[in-house]
Amino acid sequence: MRRNILAAGAALLVLGLVTGASSPVTLIATVPVAVVNIILGLGTSASPGLETQPESGRIRLAMDRGVVRATIYQVVFLDSKLVLKRLSSARVTIILPLMLAILGFEILFIVGALMGGITGFSLQEFLTQRKRNKIESEMQLSSVGKGDIEISYGDLLEVKLAKSRLYLVKDTYLLSVGFPGRYSQEMRPILANIFKSKFKTTESVRTTEASEKENEESQHTRSDRGKFPCR
């Protein structure tokens, strides 16, 4: 059961009942859409979140949701490599909600667009969780299939954690992975243990920059003292 989808469905149901008194058409259109969202909420299992101690011994850390551009991945940190399992593409995350919102707007204007957008989001969550469940039931977390991304730790030059984003730096490109901000604190010590000296955080970068700036100022001061004699 997914509470946020249920809440969205309940909100649409209330909206339909409130506006239905003055507009029967809105009531007729809203109630079925609300029921669909409630059914999707009941049929979508809860997301596992951040798994810091997965059952598999090969997996060091598993994150249920990582976003690269408009594609949603399940992010799995193994002993020697990182695997991003694709859960949904831009067609599901952007195009589907947008199309439903436009369709709803054509029928009921703002209310219709709201219904379409919410239903698109609910469908996205349902399809994403179904793919996540399939991957876990078939024990494919460590395998690489079509649309997945595999990165060896040896190929990474730097791994930087900045609030709700993880930056993976390679020779040829930079991969940015967005994730729920509440995961950051739990991830930090595990990532530090996995990547050792390659791992950096926003705080460590700021400390290094401040130290370098202080050293530069100190060098300039000593240089100035050499140029101008003291009295």
Side-chain angles (χ1 to χ4, degrees):
M1 181 177 69
R2 193 67 67 86
R3 292 181 179 178
N4 58 343
I5 301 178
L6 285 174
L12 287 177
L13 186 59
V14 172
L15 177 65
L17 294 174
V18 170
T19 59
S22 57
S23 176
V25 175
T26 303
L27 178 63
I28 294 171
T30 305
V31 172
V33 173
V35 171
V36 168
N37 278 271
I38 291 172
I39 292 173
L40 288 172
L42 293 172
T44 305
S45 58
S47 181
L50 185 70
E51 297 179 87
T52 56
Q53 293 181 331
E55 294 180 2
S56 174
R58 295 182 56 203
I59 299 175
R60 308 280 294 277
L61 177 68
M63 181 166 41
D64 64 338
R65 185 185 184 90
V67 181
V68 179
R69 298 184 181 90
T71 303
I72 300 175
Y73 294 90
Q74 187 166 8
V75 186
V76 184
F77 295 85
L78 301 169
D79 288 330
S80 60
K81 66 179 181 179
L82 170 67
V83 177
L84 285 83
K85 304 288 296 182
R86 188 175 70 173
L87 300 177
S88 63
S89 64
R91 287 179 295 180
V92 176
T93 59
I94 295 178
I95 297 176
L96 177 61
L98 181 61
M99 288 181 62
L100 290 177
I102 293 173
L103 179 62
F105 183 80
E106 292 292 330
I107 299 172
L108 290 174
F109 302 104
I110 299 299
V111 174
L114 180 64
M115 290 192 301
I118 290 175
T119 305
F121 168 77
S122 299
L123 282 169
Q124 171 206 305
E125 290 294 300
F126 173 77
L127 295 172
T128 300
Q129 185 60 41
R130 189 173 69 170
K131 181 66 179 293
R132 190 182 290 118
N133 292 341
K134 180 182 178 182
I135 290 172
E136 293 183 358
S137 64
E138 296 180 358
M139 302 181 69
Q140 296 179 348
L141 281 173
S142 58
S143 63
V144 180
K146 183 179 179 181
D148 298 341
I149 300 174
E150 181 182 27
I151 303 174
S152 172
Y153 295 157
D155 295 335
L156 291 171
L157 300 177
E158 182 180 274
V159 177
K160 181 181 175 183
L161 179 65
K163 294 183 179 179
S164 61
R165 194 160 289 276
L166 186 67
Y167 297 96
L168 306 168
V169 183
K170 291 185 66 176
D171 286 328
T172 54
Y173 70 92
L174 168 69
L175 184 68
S176 174
V177 183
F179 57 87
R182 63 182 183 276
Y183 293 170
S184 184
Q185 286 295 111
E186 288 186 76
M187 290 172 58
R188 184 178 301 179
I190 300 173
L191 294 178
N193 186 41
I194 293 173
F195 296 106
K196 309 297 182 184
S197 60
K198 293 181 180 180
F199 178 68
K200 291 179 174 59
T201 63
T202 306
E203 291 79 5
S204 65
V205 172
R206 287 175 181 171
T207 302
T208 302
E209 290 176 348
S211 178
E212 291 176 351
K213 185 177 181 180
E214 185 177 346
N215 289 336
E216 289 178 1
E217 291 176 351
S218 177
Q219 290 175 1
H220 284 311
T221 302
R222 287 196 295 268
S223 176
D224 291 342
R225 287 176 180 174
K227 291 179 181 178
F228 301 100
C230 298
R231 294 184 180 180

